[in-house]
Amino acid sequence: MKIIFLGSSFSIVWYMRHHKIVRRSYDRDQDTFRHYFLVLPCLLLALLINEKFSFKEVMWTFSLYLEAVAILPQLVLLQRTRNIDNLTGQYVFLLGAYRAFYILNWIYRYFTEPHYVHWIPWISGLIQTLLYADFFYYYFHSWKNNKKLELPA
């Protein structure tokens, strides 16, 4: 599964940078989110709140915190443009669904495996899923009404 995940992630990045049609859809003027506002706080939080203060553990915790908020630039861009093409809408929906299934897995494992308690991944995963909640609402609303997905101002 990790190989499939990494392969699909690399192919998405390749399409965004090299595919003629997909590359044309990028609007540099609208994409002004300053990513260091996410990276630096996540690193500091990982240094302060982790299960064990070691390089490997801090970096793993940092990756969890960063993954939880990594969708924010995309969501801000979608909110700013308010008009979402089908490919982008499906992609963001599937990213959110992926995290929601993770939460179902954690609930299942909590009840079936003894001593399965991992607060840091649970809280960061819950925060990530909550960030998708607004998008999900408008995604399902447009799907139900068979309309193009548009976010309100």
Side-chain angles (χ1 to χ4, degrees):
M1 289 306 287
K2 291 283 186 189
I3 292 172
I4 292 170
F5 177 74
L6 289 173
S8 64
S9 296
F10 286 126
S11 69
I12 289 167
V13 171
W14 185 87
Y15 269 98
M16 289 187 308
R17 292 188 176 269
H18 301 291
H19 193 272
K20 289 180 197 176
I21 296 170
V22 177
R23 188 178 64 209
R24 269 189 279 148
S25 69
Y26 177 68
D27 186 359
R28 186 178 299 273
D29 295 332
Q30 295 289 336
D31 188 12
T32 59
F33 193 94
R34 295 186 176 109
H35 62 279
Y36 49 83
F37 284 134
L38 298 178
V39 175
L40 198 55
C42 288
L43 180 59
L44 293 174
L45 190 60
L47 289 168
L48 296 173
I49 302 173
N50 52 63
E51 291 184 14
K52 178 182 172 188
F53 193 77
S54 68
F55 179 77
K56 183 179 175 182
E57 185 67 30
V58 169
M59 289 296 106
W60 178 75
T61 306
F62 169 63
S63 75
L64 289 176
Y65 294 154
L66 191 57
E67 182 183 10
V69 296
I71 193 63
L72 276 175
Q74 182 70 42
L75 293 176
V76 168
L77 180 64
L78 294 178
Q79 188 72 33
R80 196 172 286 158
T81 60
R82 292 196 311 259
N83 193 3
I84 302 162
D85 63 72
N86 195 26
L87 180 64
T88 304
Q90 300 292 340
Y91 176 70
V92 173
F93 171 76
L94 290 173
L95 283 175
Y98 159 79
R99 179 51 60 187
F101 280 118
Y102 250 97
I103 290 174
L104 292 175
N105 175 50
W106 294 332
I107 292 168
Y108 172 78
R109 290 180 68 184
Y110 178 78
F111 288 111
T112 60
E113 295 179 19
H115 310 294
Y116 183 74
V117 177
H118 298 283
W119 290 107
I120 292 174
W122 290 355
I123 292 171
S124 62
L126 183 62
I127 289 169
Q128 183 179 7
T129 305
L130 290 174
L131 288 174
Y132 284 98
D134 182 56
F135 177 83
F136 282 163
Y137 171 78
Y138 291 106
Y139 180 86
F140 284 120
H141 184 70
S142 69
W143 181 71
K144 184 178 87 173
N145 295 326
N146 200 21
K147 293 182 181 177
K148 184 171 174 69
L149 181 58
E150 292 185 21
L151 297 177

